[in-house]
Each structure stands twice: as C-alpha cells, then as structure tokens.
Amino acid sequence: MSRLSVVHLLHANAVSFSSVLQIGDSQHIRLSGRALAVQRQLEYVDSREFPLAFPIFTKPIPTPPIDTEPLCHHTLHDCPLIAVHSMRIIGVSSTSVVHIGSTKTVEANSRVKHIRQLEGGKSYARSRRSD
Amino acid sequence: MNMTVVNHHLSVGHIAIGGVASASLVLVGDSETIQLASAFDTPPESLIIGPFPPKQNNKKNEEKQ
C-alpha cells in the first residue's frame, strides 16, 4: 500500500544519455552507468585508444553491511498523499531517473574515470583555464 | 525491533533541481529499498603530460598559445 503522488507542474529541460523521466508507479529500478571523461589541452579524439579496462570499471564497490536484526515494521498513512506544487529540473543525465510515483526497489551504480592530458614542455599556470 | 511510521500530511511548494546525473534518483513517492553506489576516479597518475599525435593546428589553438 503506497501513497499517491500529485505533482501539479513538472518542467524538465533536458533528459539525456539513457535517463528516464517516469510518471507512474514501478516495481524495480536498476541503473548502471560507466563513463570515461577525457579532457585535453589540444583537440584530439580517438575512441579506440582507451578501452574500458581500468580497475574502477571492474573492482566491486563496497556496500554497507546489512543489519541482521529482525525488524517489525508498520506504516500508517494518515494522509495517503504526497503533494508537490511545481518542479523545475534543468538536466537529467547519465543513466538517472526522475520518478513521480512509488517503487519497490532501487539499485544503482555509477563508475566515472577522469583523464587529463596536457601538452609537454609548457608552464601550466597560464593554461589553467576553465574553457 | 519494532518500528511504526505514521505519514501525516506532506505538501511541498516548489522543487528546483540543477542536475541529476551518474545513476542518481529523484523520487516523489514511496520506496522499500534504495541502494545507490558510485565510484569516481581522478588519481594523480591519470594526468598525462605527453606528446600529442601530429595534427593540423586550427586557429583556436593558435590563439590560446
């Protein structure tokens, strides 16, 4: 028995890279994202040069231990309603979910590796620019 | 352990979100279990200072230099 979610106005500007904007209930949500972010001083792109074989993409992410104590859990919905007047979301990206409604289980994992490559033989104080 | 949750009236005016990214979740509703894990890697050895392959220099790079 779950509550009813009421959102009067939802404005999402951009939903990209395998993201989901779900209106309605669901049972299971499983999200998995892997990203390799390469930043270079010079513009050079070769998608084959870095295979996704770095340790961060393979080693397990430790999860918190589960408490084994038995739990007797009761939920009373005095008011079975979640009311939101308005939501404004600029961006949803990289395997994320905006979910209006109820769900049962959510499992998500994300792995991001950054690589930066600079030109050799230069002083980097001048080149530390955001662009 | 005994646990009782009483959900009273819940009303929210406005939610403004800049970005939701990297297997994240925004949930307006109920859920039984949520497990989110994230790994982000920017080690010092991922900074490469090395030669680039020969390429045509465009005007943008010349302006930067």
Side-chain angles (χ1 to χ4, degrees):
Chain A
M1 182 66 191
S2 59
R3 288 179 288 178
L4 183 73
S5 304
V6 179
V7 179
H8 289 96
L9 176 80
L10 171 63
H11 181 106
N13 198 49
V15 179
S16 63
F17 296 130
S18 305
S19 296
V20 172
L21 202 156
Q22 162 122 356
I23 299 168
D25 293 353
S26 71
Q27 201 66 228
H28 302 290
I29 299 174
R30 241 193 186 156
L31 310 168
S32 175
R34 298 198 299 170
L36 183 64
V38 184
Q39 231 183 343
R40 287 198 168 97
Q41 204 172 358
L42 292 181
E43 292 171 32
Y44 172 73
V45 179
D46 182 4
S47 59
R48 296 160 302 173
E49 68 179 324
F50 290 123
L52 291 175
F54 294 102
I56 192 172
F57 296 122
T58 53
K59 71 178 177 188
I61 302 172
T63 51
I66 297 165
D67 197 354
T68 51
E69 190 185 342
L71 180 70
C72 186
H73 178 261
H74 296 283
T75 305
L76 302 169
H77 296 307
D78 192 42
C79 172
L81 196 74
I82 299 169
V84 176
H85 184 264
S86 60
M87 288 176 78
R88 190 187 153 80
I89 298 162
I90 293 169
V92 189
S93 177
S94 318
T95 346
S96 298
V97 171
V98 173
H99 194 286
I100 314 296
S102 295
T103 183
K104 197 166 175 235
T105 58
V106 183
E107 288 174 61
N109 66 77
S110 151
R111 295 159 188 266
V112 182
K113 179 166 179 70
H114 276 239
I115 293 171
R116 286 174 181 81
Q117 186 172 8
L118 304 173
E119 242 185 327
K122 296 217 167 196
S123 81
Y124 297 112
R126 280 195 308 116
S127 62
R128 281 174 58 191
R129 288 168 45 168
S130 57
D131 61 349
Chain B
M1 186 170 85
N2 284 316
M3 178 171 143
T4 305
V5 178
V6 182
N7 289 317
H8 293 285
H9 183 74
L10 176 55
S11 180
V12 179
H14 181 64
I15 300 172
I17 296 168
V20 187
S22 307
S24 300
L25 171 78
V26 173
L27 177 66
V28 181
D30 296 313
S31 177
E32 273 185 27
T33 58
I34 298 177
Q35 287 179 291
L36 307 177
S38 176
F40 188 90
D41 190 31
T42 315
E45 59 266 27
S46 73
L47 176 66
I48 304 165
I49 299 174
F52 283 84
K55 62 178 285 296
Q56 64 282 6
N57 247 346
N58 58 18
K59 284 183 181 176
K60 201 174 168 186
N61 283 328
E62 284 170 12
E63 282 170 17
K64 277 187 183 178
Q65 290 159 14

